[in-house]
């Protein structure tokens, strides 16, 4: 499993957002291209062919989706297809299919949602061109670029055609969606019996082909063995040969998902194979052929039911001649493509599941990102040597170093509510690589395990989650469904797992625009929540995924687990490459459409405003910059939408995107790029921990912890952890595969930098005890929060009482200058409760320079 390390490219991640914002600031128009996405969900009541020829057929202009002249007609032959013949002038044209008289749902080349324009070269002098649209596959075709091929034969009346041997009945229409010259159609509706067929072209007998692809060939005979059997038709447009293949009918419809579904008496093996019917599984020394199966919610599934108790047996799927891994594997044999049959759901944590830590609303969260290895691998962690860098090392209690708490006791002392585990699923690289190169999405990574037996490894992960829960901390997983370690992971099953154009900068981005790929992701998410009691997810490069799909995954999870208050968030950008589908992917601009699913995104715009660049020496607001004060004021309020709406924004990188404060993850440091302390020292800030540099760290952290939204920070930021060794900042900028000497937490830093830790601890405690810092709706921010700027100083007066929205009881001041700032507080008795050193409790109206100051009404 862990062979040659797959290098994780230096992905610019949020730079796409930053570049877009910069372009907007310079007045440049960013017009996103639309392309493939999920299929339209609204009923189809009209289909048109808007294009460059519309004005020439009588429309008021070109590209007119609502023009009556461009409307296709619904067929009455039972096919559900739409068609029309138009007289077009000669020349070069282009067109698409538009639904319901608008551009909201449209399809272009290769049936792609919002896909590329379809070129159409009409011969000189003009020609009658027939357009045909299939509402199931969304293929829009014309009879110049394509052949309109029907399987015309003795069975057509059985399918609803008016008569047999009807070349103009599109119920038996063959399609070439991928444009490879092979037209196909499959059906289970032809009854048992022997039938005859020919290939008819152009909805008439003027051109047709029988046996051997001959225009004068005999009828092609085929036998359907039983009702419900699958009959596959394939027409080669070069040889004109029509091939017919029949398969035994599938067994009865069964529920469940895919993979190896275990019971003590039999195991059901299932895999999605849309391109190849030669599918088998080898288990217990025997090879079993998989047959097509009708599994509700899935398509192109092959299945074999193998009797006997197969628990802990290795199994190997094959598609064609290739050994392939099981995308649904619950456990695997390391170093191979073999899965292991397990009854994962039956494995319980030691002593049973403990209650989940209480959480009232998502804005109450304080998220702490950590690596399973980094957090405890150094001996200074105090963790038992066998557990260092392992799952259970994270939850060993009672550990100390130089008199300070370490490990989970440190997290409890700090006061965080959630840990976010960097990749803990099965990945390709060898630790200490971070593991952003997935192999098996639903299997715990064996390098973090102390055990080899499958059930022990499963129980170990569950025990870890359970111990975090017992200690009052919820567990989030960093998931990487946007790409795999390499294309070999899924390519030999089907290339449909991957996008045509790489979007991840790793060469193998996943295409959740395919409904079955989307279902793989949803099922994996559900499996972790249901089986391992996970409390939510952070999505690596969430921006590669379609917003509609992300919304559907989140809504499904929230409906299935309504009591969990799951936390779901991710990076709203791709791998720094141009995405032709940007407008339908997760961006700031599509975040409002995810509000009902409670999905949040990392606020890179706010991060950059506070911190400056992630790998350069340019300091933002925390360095005293006054050029971005308005961005700070916006982020302080939770980056709320200018107008409350769940509609997508016209600007994909609009920094005012949050329908609800829970949708913004506020941060200045994460595993990528320079962490906060290294950014400060790299920028040449003087004074060290006790001087201006240490104060700047506290200022940035204080902004994050007092802004509306969800605060997030990276392991070690709270005690000024540095990844710079011997002055090597270049490694620290991209330390995904650096050794433990770079990434591992050195717990001596906590004792050395106690002032920083105390500040983080105090600011978290203040946040938890201040409802005004955790407003939970757009309306509350608008009504209960008044924000003003005075030069570069930003002040917010906030009411924690919705019934008295203007009776402000909390005032927060951000002062990036070098001088104290005198604050005019509302009437009443006030106390300063947070200053540059942490918790305070005295009367004052002064906000220190380079500090966050919080006042509360007594």
């Amino acid at each position: 499993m862990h062979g040659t390390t797959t290098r994780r490219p230096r992905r610019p991640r949020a730079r796409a957002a930053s570049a877009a914002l910069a372009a907007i600031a310079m007045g440049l128009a960013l017009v996103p291209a639309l392309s493939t996405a999920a299929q339209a969900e609204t009923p189809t009541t009209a289909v048109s062919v808007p294009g460059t020829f519309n004005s020439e057929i009588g429309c008021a202009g070109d590209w007119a989706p609502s023009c009556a002249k461009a409307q296709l007609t619904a067929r009455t032959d039972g096919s559900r297809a739409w068609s029309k013949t138009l007289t077009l002038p000669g020349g070069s044209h282009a067109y698409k299919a538009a639904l319901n008289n608008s551009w909201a749902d449209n399809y272009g080349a290769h049936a792609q949602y919002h896909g590329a324009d379809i070129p159409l070269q009409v011969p000189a002098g003009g020609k009658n061109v027939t357009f045909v649209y299939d509402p199931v596959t969304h293929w829009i075709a014309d009879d110049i670029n394509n052949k309109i091929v029907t399987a015309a034969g003795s069975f057509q009346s059985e399918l609803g055609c008016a008569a047999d041997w009807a070349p103009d009945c599109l119920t038996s229409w063959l399609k070439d969606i991928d444009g490879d010259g092979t037209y196909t159609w499959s059906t289970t509706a032809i009854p048992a019996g022997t039938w005859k067929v020919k290939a008819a072209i152009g909805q008439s007998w003027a051109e047709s082909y029988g046996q051997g692809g001959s225009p004068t060939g005999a009828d092609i005979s085929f036998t359907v063995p039983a009702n419900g059997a699958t009959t596959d038709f394939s027409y080669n447009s070069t040889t004109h040969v029509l091939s017919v293949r029949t398969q035994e009918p599938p067994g009865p419809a069964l529920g469940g998902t895919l993979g190896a579904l275990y019971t003590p008496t039999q195991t059901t093996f299932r895999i999605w194979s849309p391109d190849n019917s030669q599918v088998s599984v080898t288990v217990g020394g025997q090879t079993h052929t998989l047959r097509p199966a009708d599994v509700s919610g899935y398509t192109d599934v092959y299945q074999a039911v193998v009797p006997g108790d197969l628990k802990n047996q290795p199994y190997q799927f094959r598609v064609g001649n290739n050994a392939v891994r099981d995308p649904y594997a619950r456990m695997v044999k390391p170093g191979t493509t073999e899965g292991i049959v397990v009854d994962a759901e039956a494995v319980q944590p030691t002593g049973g599941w403990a209650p989940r830590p209480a959480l009232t609303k998502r804005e109450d969260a304080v998220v702490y990102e950590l690596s399973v290895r980094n957090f405890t691998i150094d001996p200074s962690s105090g963790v038992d040597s066998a557990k260092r860098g392992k799952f259970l090392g994270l939850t060993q209690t009672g550990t100390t170093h130089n008199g300070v708490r370490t490990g989970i006791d440190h997290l409890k002392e700090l006061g965080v509510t959630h840990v976010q585990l960097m990749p803990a699923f099965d990945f390709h690289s060898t630790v200490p690589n971070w593991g952003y190169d997935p192999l098996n999405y639903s299997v715990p990574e064996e390098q973090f395990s102390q055990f080899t037996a499958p059930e022990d490894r499963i129980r170990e992960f569950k025990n870890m989650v359970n111990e975090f829960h017992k200690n009052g901390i919820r567990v989030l997983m960093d998931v990487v469904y946007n790409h795999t370690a390499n294309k070999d992971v899924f390519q030999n099953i089907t290339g449909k797992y991957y996008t045509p154009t790489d979007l991840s900068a790793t060469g193998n981005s996943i295409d959740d625009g395919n409904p079955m790929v989307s279902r793989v992701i949803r099922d994996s998410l559900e499996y972790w929540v249901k089986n391992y009691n996970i409390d939510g997810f952070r999505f690596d490069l969430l921006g590669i995924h379609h917003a509609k799909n992300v919304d559907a995954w989140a809504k499904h999870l929230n409906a299935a687990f309504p009591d969990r208050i799951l936390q779901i968030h991710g990076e709203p950008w791709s791998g720094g490459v141009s995405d032709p589908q940007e407008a339908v992917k997760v961006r700031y601009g599509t975040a409002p459409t995810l509000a009902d699913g409670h999905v949040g995104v990392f606020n890179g715009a706010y991060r950059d405003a506070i911190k400056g660049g992630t790998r350069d020496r340019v300091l933002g607001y925390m360095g005293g910059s006054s050029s971005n004060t308005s961005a700070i004021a916006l982020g302080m309020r939770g980056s709320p939408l200018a107008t409350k709406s769940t509609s997508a924004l016209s600007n994909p990188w609009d920094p005012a995107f949050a329908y609800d404060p829970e949708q913004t993850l506020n941060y200045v440091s994460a595993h990528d790029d320079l962490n906060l302390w290294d950014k400060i020292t790299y920028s040449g800030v003087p004074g060290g921990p006790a001087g201006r540099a240490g104060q700047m760290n506290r200022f940035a952290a204080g902004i994050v912890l007092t802004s509306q939204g969800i605060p997030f920070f990276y392991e070690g930021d709270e005690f000024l952890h540095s990844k710079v060794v011997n002055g090597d900042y270049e490694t620290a900028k991209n330390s995904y595969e650096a050794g433990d000497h770079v990434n591992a937490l050195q717990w001596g830093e906590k004792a050395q930098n106690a002032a920083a830790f105390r500040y983080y601890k105090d600011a978290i405690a203040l946040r938890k005890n201040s409802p005004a810092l955790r407003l939970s709706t757009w309306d509350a921010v608008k009504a209960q929060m008044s924000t003003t700027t005075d030069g570069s100083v930003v002040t917010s007066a906030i009411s924690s009482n919705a019934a008295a929205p203007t009776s402000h009881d909390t005032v927060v001041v951000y002062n990036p200058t070098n001088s104290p700032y005198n604050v005019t507080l509302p009437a009443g008795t006030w106390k300063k409760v947070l200053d540059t050193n942490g918790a305070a409790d005295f009367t004052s109206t002064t906000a220190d320079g380079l500090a966050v100051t919080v006042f509360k009404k007594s």
Side-chain angles (χ1 to χ4, degrees), residues 461-480:
F461 195 101
K462 293 184 178 183
N463 281 344
M464 174 195 65
V465 175
N466 211 34
E467 290 305 310
F468 269 122
H469 285 175
K470 290 178 182 178
N471 284 276
I473 298 172
R474 290 181 167 226
V475 181
L476 310 178
M477 286 186 68
D478 188 340
V479 288
V480 189

Side-chain angles (χ1 to χ4, degrees), residues 538-567:
R538 175 265 187 190
F539 283 78
D540 185 68
L541 296 188
L542 185 62
I544 285 178
H545 299 305
H546 294 81
K548 282 186 177 181
N549 290 340
V550 174
D551 185 55
W553 302 335
K555 285 177 177 175
H556 174 79
L557 293 175
N558 289 325
F561 308 97
D563 60 331
R564 299 287 186 96
I565 314 182
L566 296 172
Q567 174 64 38

